[in-house]
Amino acid sequence: MPLTPATLTQLLPGLLPSAPVALLAELEGPLERLELKAQLQQAKARVVASGQLRRENERNQLRVRVEASDVDLAQLLPDVPPTRIALLANADLDAGEAGSKGHYRVVSQESLIAGQAVPPTIVEGELGLPEQEPLYTKGTLTLAEPGANTRV
């Protein structure tokens, strides 16, 4: 179902799309075993997401995977240079009586910002929200810059 730029701006006021966006989303299954599939397309940009939500014995588990290609943020946001973003992201979250804990990994390769190549990039780590304690996250950023690999 195509969403016009005006409709999308009404739904998400921070966005100012310059072209229609097609969105398809499906939820299937009982609440204890819910499956999610979604696709978003705008011009050449394509984002595909899938996930599962499981509930068993007062414990919730969420798994999500997102694959994006040719995403041009300039077609969605004001004052942003042209981009061509390609990435793969995976995340999981387990929540129970003792709190929540999860992991994430985002890998970007062959992306461009303002016509400049972005080195292959990996962001990965874990996050947690233990019961009665503040949210925490710890992770690493790896940039595979030729001749100057960086890991923080």
Side-chain angles (χ1 to χ4, degrees), residues 52-126:
Q52 302 86 34
L53 177 61
R54 304 286 186 256
R55 178 163 176 80
E56 187 175 319
N57 298 328
E58 301 302 316
R59 186 149 198 82
N60 295 307
Q61 296 179 326
L62 175 65
R63 307 279 179 264
V64 178
R65 175 183 171 94
V66 177
E67 190 168 350
S69 61
D70 292 318
V71 175
D72 184 359
L73 295 177
Q75 291 197 9
L76 292 171
L77 299 166
D79 304 321
V80 173
T83 64
R84 192 180 79 212
I85 296 173
L87 64 82
L88 175 62
N90 290 290
D92 63 75
L93 182 68
D94 293 320
E97 292 180 13
S100 302
K101 186 171 185 176
H103 298 88
Y104 55 89
R105 179 177 170 90
V106 180
V107 178
S108 175
Q109 296 185 1
E110 300 179 12
S111 293
L112 299 173
I113 297 177
Q116 299 293 311
V118 176
T121 304
I122 299 173
V123 178
E124 60 188 333
E126 67 179 53

